[in-house]
Amino acid sequence: MQPTVSSDISPLEYQPAYEILDETGLADEGLDQSRSRHKDNLQSTLRKISETTNRQSAYSTRSVHTRSHGLIYAEMEIYDNLPAQFAQGMFASAKKLPLVMRFSTVPGDILNDKLCTPRSLAIKILGVEGERLSGSEQATTQNFLFVNGSSFLSSSVQQFLSNLKLLANTDNTPEFKQFLAQILQATSKLIQSLSGGRERLMNNEGQPETNILGETYFSQDPILYGNYMAKVALVPVAPSLIALTNKPIDVSFASDSLKKSVVDFFITHTAEWELRVQLCTDIDKMPIEDSSVVWSEDVSPYLAVAKITAKPQIAWSHYRSKVVDSGMMFSPWHGIKSHRPLGSVMRLRKITYEMAKHANAMADSNIIAEPRDLDDLC
């Protein structure tokens, strides 16, 4: 049964003034040399990470979110009779749409599952109508990217670039990453024991060895939501998924522990998530240009607009990996203008998605394209 969606939200309408319309995050539009330098540095950093991961993998890989642990065929049901402020963009009317879900982990290099890292989820929805974003004019897909932390590591482009450089400079030293992950994991467990609740310290490293399917995933960065601005979350609602929240996994399988837990689940279980939307109601408390700020649910709660259902299936195979990991690119810039990513960090990150698409295609002579159907996954 469709949940009741409250209409007691008064969202702000989008205004260009809410964004810093400069690709580097620098306010002075005259700093062309700095803008170019940031672009060059970002491209160089991502290229270095890609080259390292390609050397470690049998086929081309991404600069980040390298390892897929689940490749799932699913269906989205957009709820009927949503209040006007939530019936925006692709959610304007009730319908069912097919999609693919890609569960992954964040670092660019190939790490053992015992190294606890943040979990990510990308979804690609097919059959989405609307005016397209530049670069995806011929597609009919809408991509959303999520991480199991409600805020982004970097509040600015400069911080984002600095963090990527650190990752690039350490990607050849797994011993250091293992040491760092262990320290952060231990810190997380200490905070959890003191506070009685699971803290989101591990937005970027130190994720406990828990089941990837029990996580709640957040867009972190805001997007346009029709006339408004929003963040999006994917929340497990099926009892079988909720039971996996914070549930430890058997890491004795080393490099395939997360994947095995996903595959084992989908042998017999059906999974259900809700797609929930948080509308911006206060630009000071819910800024567009600082993704490290968690938008308070006391100010504006997440409310359900759709349900995603995935039935029992083969949740990962080498064939699916070839179709999805090598043949698809997940970018929030592939979609409709009604859900354009917002903020200077996301505008600069667009460069990384395009560069990764080109590198992936060149490495294996792959054809990277937005799918028209998911027959290959059924």
Side-chain angles (χ1 to χ4, degrees):
M1 183 175 64
Q2 176 180 335
T4 300
V5 179
S6 172
S7 59
D8 298 333
I9 302 296
S10 299
L12 293 177
E13 290 197 4
Y14 170 78
Q15 297 181 27
Y18 293 148
E19 292 189 87
I20 300 174
L21 297 179
D22 172 62
E23 292 168 342
T24 64
L26 301 174
D28 189 342
E29 289 289 342
L31 297 177
D32 292 335
Q33 185 175 1
S34 295
R35 183 184 301 112
S36 176
R37 184 170 63 251
H38 277 274
K39 282 186 177 181
D40 291 344
N41 286 345
L42 183 59
Q43 288 176 323
S44 175
T45 299
L46 268 292
R47 187 175 297 110
K48 179 177 179 181
I49 298 171
S50 292
E51 289 171 353
T52 299
T53 56
N54 284 336
R55 288 195 301 268
Q56 296 174 349
S57 179
Y59 55 89
S60 62
T61 56
R62 294 160 165 80
S63 300
V64 291
H65 309 287
T66 297
R67 299 187 59 207
S68 68
H69 304 290
L71 302 169
I72 313 298
Y73 173 85
E75 182 180 72
M76 171 181 286
E77 178 188 358
I78 298 173
Y79 293 143
D80 197 5
N81 298 320
L82 293 173
Q85 61 267 50
F86 290 96
Q88 300 281 321
M90 65 172 288
F91 303 98
S93 60
K95 59 176 70 73
K96 293 183 179 181
L97 299 170
L99 61 89
V100 61
M101 310 175 75
R102 182 182 188 268
F103 290 91
S104 64
T105 41
V106 170
D109 45 347
I110 309 299
L111 295 178
N112 189 298
D113 281 351
K114 292 181 180 180
L115 304 185
C116 303
T117 59
R119 285 81 187 277
S120 303
L121 171 62
I123 65 175
K124 187 183 294 292
I125 309 161
L126 280 64
V128 176
E129 299 177 350
E131 188 177 0
R132 305 293 305 178
L133 289 166
S134 175
S136 68
E137 292 88 348
Q138 305 305 312
T140 60
T141 58
Q142 175 66 49
N143 292 193
F144 292 113
L145 275 61
F146 304 91
V147 181
N148 66 326
S150 55
S151 65
F152 188 57
L153 169 68
S154 307
S155 61
S156 68
V157 172
Q158 291 91 332
Q159 280 186 292
F160 177 57
L161 179 59
S162 175
N163 294 326
L164 281 175
K165 283 186 174 180
L166 176 62
L167 177 60
N169 289 333
T170 61
D171 58 15
N172 285 319
T173 56
E175 295 82 3
F176 170 78
K177 281 194 172 180
Q178 181 172 7
F179 172 75
L180 180 63
Q182 290 171 344
I183 291 296
L184 288 171
Q185 181 185 347
T187 304
S188 167
K189 290 180 177 179
L190 175 60
I191 291 177
Q192 183 176 356
S193 67
L194 293 175
S195 66
R198 186 179 182 189
E199 298 292 330
R200 287 296 178 181
L201 173 67
M202 310 78 63
N203 276 344
N204 295 278
E205 291 285 358
Q207 174 66 44
E209 310 97 324
T210 54
N211 196 297
I212 197 169
L213 294 175
E215 299 286 348
T216 294
Y217 292 88
F218 300 87
S219 64
Q220 295 188 338
D221 297 287
I223 62 170
L224 271 181
Y225 193 76
N227 296 325
Y228 308 113
M229 302 160 286
K231 292 188 178 183
V232 185
L234 198 70
V235 182
V237 293
S240 56
L241 285 182
I242 295 173
L244 300 179
T245 301
N246 296 332
K247 183 175 181 179
I249 62 169
D250 182 358
V251 296
S252 62
F253 294 92
S255 63
D256 289 320
S257 296
L258 288 173
K259 184 188 303 177
K260 184 179 185 302
S261 66
V262 175
V263 170
D264 288 350
F265 176 88
F266 276 101
I267 291 175
T268 56
H269 290 90
T270 293
E272 290 185 346
W273 297 265
E274 276 187 345
L275 189 74
R276 298 179 183 176
V277 171
Q278 182 185 35
L279 297 176
C280 178
T281 59
D282 185 325
I283 198 63
D284 294 322
K285 295 179 179 178
M286 308 170 80
I288 298 301
E289 289 292 348
D290 189 347
S291 297
S292 68
V293 175
V294 177
W295 291 6
S296 172
E297 294 189 55
D298 293 332
V299 176
S300 178
Y302 279 95
L303 297 172
V305 297
K307 180 177 69 175
I308 292 177
T309 302
K311 295 181 180 180
Q313 60 191 282
I314 301 173
W316 196 97
S317 69
H318 291 290
Y319 177 74
R320 281 198 177 189
S321 180
K322 186 68 175 177
V323 172
V324 179
D325 293 333
S326 299
M328 297 183 189
M329 182 60 62
F330 292 83
S331 166
W333 291 94
H334 282 194
I336 59 176
K337 289 184 177 180
S338 294
H339 300 308
R340 173 177 64 84
L342 297 175
S344 54
V345 168
M346 287 304 297
R347 288 194 297 279
L348 192 54
R349 287 173 74 184
K350 183 179 181 182
I351 301 170
T352 72
Y353 292 112
E354 294 304 316
M355 190 187 72
K357 176 179 178 180
H358 177 73
N360 196 17
M362 292 295 292
D364 283 344
S365 298
N366 289 327
I367 297 176
I368 308 297
E370 293 296 285
R372 294 285 174 175
D373 59 58
L374 297 178
D375 290 344
D376 287 341
L377 293 182
C378 296

